[in-house]
Amino acid sequence: MNLNLLDRFKERKILVVGDYCIDKFYFGEPRGISPEAPILRNVGSRNDIKINPGMAGNIAAGVNALGAKCYVVGVIGGDGDSASREMINIFNKMGVNTGGMILQKDRTTPEFIRIVSGGIKYPSQQIIRHDVENTAPITKSTIKKLESFIYNQINEIGGFDAIIVGDYNEFGEGIITNYLLNKLIEISSDKRIFSIGDSRKNFKSFHDFTCIKPNLNEARQLEKTKGMSLDNLALKITKDLKLKAVLITKDKEGMYLLTNSGIKKDFPAYAKEVVDVTGAGDSVTSAFTLALTSGFGYEQSAQLASYAAAISVSKPGVSVVSLEELKKFTL
């Protein structure tokens, strides 16, 4: 593996289109029972709060941490509500281009809050999660604005190296409509741009992508198979959707790659210590995409993505992997 190609990450321009949210983690220690109700009293400080963009935002943060120039495309809610402002401020501090984050007033920027409790005697764990969800559908006007931004950027900067689609829609209000998805497929085909897809429930629509990245359960649901071998399952997905490759994550068992050129390989889980698996799949997507666009082959890109997953799960909360961390892990 030519590790010098890792330095090409800094030259890449990546478009991340999808559903965005704010992830908040409040860390503290258990200090007995609350005097107001029979519940745990979790005590922390203002320095024990971690806030970062979630869902497709974690993919974007991962792309940025690996050194590439990232352009985010999504929808923020309200008339500049606090979650929207937090997200844009975080991205701006990173140097991420936020021109494609379109405001739709009747929507809410989702906010997912976890309370984490632990200490010297007790391992840290989430004790409750409080979610603020969006309930308003995407409008045709908003979709047109998203589309306009993408085409304008292509004309202005001369194109992207890859389009990543993060479809986290679970309740029918996501922004990845069939119309927008087909436009992205058309753009990636016309401009010869790598297209990498990640979806919770809608992989059937990701035809003609370069690669999709389901987990094993999603892959089986996609083809509604039970007894089929992993080789045959991956082959069927690749052929049915006309993909160049499929990368299937298998939790603690690592991941599996199959390409339409006949490459098939299992990659073990390289993590020596698992602290938190939250967001590890997004680190896989970010690293795999940048490796593929920087001259690594599919097998080498999946290998580097496996390393990124190992680094990610060794950290608490939703985390990203830096280029320096990835370089160090490969040595």
Side-chain angles (χ1 to χ4, degrees), residues 3 10 12 23 56 66 98 100 113 123 166 170 178 188 200 210 223 229 234 239 243 254 256 310:
L3 296 180
K10 297 176 182 178
R12 303 281 79 89
D23 279 324
L66 288 169
T98 58
I113 301 168
E170 291 191 68
N178 284 337
S188 62
R200 293 284 171 86
T210 304
E223 293 299 339
S229 71
K239 287 184 174 180
L243 308 171
Y256 171 91

Side-chain angles (χ1 to χ4, degrees), residues 99-202:
M101 297 301 283
I102 306 302
L103 188 148
Q104 184 175 312
K105 290 187 177 181
D106 63 339
R107 283 175 66 95
T108 297
T109 298
E111 189 171 358
F112 303 138
I113 301 168
R114 289 91 162 178
I115 308 298
V116 183
S117 187
I120 297 175
K121 296 182 178 180
Y122 310 97
S124 291
Q125 60 183 347
Q126 293 184 27
I127 57 174
I128 194 168
R129 172 170 159 168
H130 176 77
D131 293 351
V132 178
E133 297 175 346
N134 168 69
T135 57
I138 196 80
T139 65
K140 290 182 180 179
S141 171
T142 298
I143 290 289
K144 284 295 183 183
K145 289 176 183 176
L146 297 171
E147 185 183 346
S148 249
F149 171 81
I150 294 169
Y151 279 111
N152 288 341
Q153 285 299 307
I154 289 174
N155 293 331
E156 187 175 320
I157 67 174
F160 298 97
D161 296 291
I163 297 174
I164 300 175
V165 177
D167 175 23
Y168 291 83
N169 175 33
E170 291 191 68
F171 308 107
E173 294 85 30
I175 77 160
I176 306 300
T177 63
N178 284 337
Y179 172 84
L180 182 58
L181 191 58
N182 287 334
K183 279 293 177 184
L184 295 172
I185 294 168
E186 180 183 304
I187 290 168
S188 62
S189 177
D190 289 348
K191 305 294 182 181
R192 297 184 179 180
I193 300 170
F194 286 100
S195 52
I196 311 298
D198 202 349
S199 178
R200 293 284 171 86
K201 296 183 177 180
N202 196 36

Side-chain angles (χ1 to χ4, degrees), residues 22 51-53 85-95:
I22 279 288
I51 303 174
N52 45 261
R85 290 195 300 271
E86 284 177 326
M87 184 183 300
I88 298 301
N89 287 339
I90 294 170
F91 278 142
N92 286 340
K93 287 178 181 177
M94 291 178 181

Side-chain angles (χ1 to χ4, degrees), residues 32 58 77 120 160 166 227 239 256 267 299 317 320 330:
N58 196 48
I120 297 175
F160 298 97
K239 287 184 174 180
Y256 171 91
F267 298 87
E299 187 173 338
V320 294
T330 59

Side-chain angles (χ1 to χ4, degrees), residues 251-268:
D251 197 24
K252 62 182 179 180
E253 295 181 7
M255 61 184 71
Y256 171 91
L257 171 75
L258 183 137
T259 72
N260 64 357
S261 63
I263 296 172
K264 56 181 178 181
K265 185 170 182 179
D266 268 299
F267 298 87

Side-chain angles (χ1 to χ4, degrees), residues 66-81:
L66 288 169
K69 180 61 179 177
C70 185
Y71 298 74
V72 289
V73 174
V75 180
I76 53 177
D79 196 3
D81 61 36

